[in-house]
Amino acid sequence: VQLQASGGGLVQPGGSLRLTCTGSGFSLADYPIGWFRQSPGKEREGISCITETDGTTYYADSVKGRFAISRDKANNTVYLQMNSLKPEDTATYHCATVVNDHLCSYLNVLPFGSWGQGTLVTVSS
């Protein structure tokens, strides 16, 4: 199971980015998929999850109302649309499989299984 996050970059405060998660050797549609982020000196933070069965979405309070997770099953892809970005959103973002649908709602416990290389998002003027 290998996942790859892409789409990061430098964006000004208030701007938007869309991150993409792709999988190789397996179908993302067979798993709940989450996103977490980490920056130097800070703890890893689970920020979003989408369930495998019915596509229910969950968000950390820090990103709720600004970020949106979605699936494209035909293209074996999961997206994270990030709007109204803030400097505190600066981090390396990773997508990951989640142990099961139930744990999607417990992002604070970092219920992640496999993940790959992340993508750096820098929010700065």
Side-chain angles (χ1 to χ4, degrees), residues 33 69 83 87:
I33 299 295
I69 189 171
N83 301 323

Side-chain angles (χ1 to χ4, degrees), residues 35-107:
W35 288 89
F36 67 89
R37 64 187 182 186
Q38 189 161 25
S39 55
K42 293 187 178 180
E43 293 186 354
R44 185 174 295 174
E45 181 186 17
I47 57 172
S48 186
C49 187
I50 185 166
T51 62
E52 180 264 328
T53 51
D54 62 4
T56 300
T57 58
Y58 298 89
Y59 300 95
D61 287 344
S62 59
V63 305
K64 196 173 294 181
R66 300 188 297 123
F67 291 12
I69 189 171
S70 62
R71 287 186 185 270
D72 181 346
K73 292 187 177 181
N75 290 305
N76 199 28
T77 301
V78 171
Y79 300 105
L80 185 69
Q81 178 67 43
M82 307 188 298
N83 301 323
S84 302
L85 283 161
K86 305 175 181 180
E88 51 263 44
D89 294 319
T90 295
T92 297
Y93 286 71
H94 297 262
C95 60
T97 59
V98 176
V99 177
N100 57 52
D101 277 359
H102 176 68
L103 288 179
C104 246
S105 60
Y106 294 92
L107 290 166

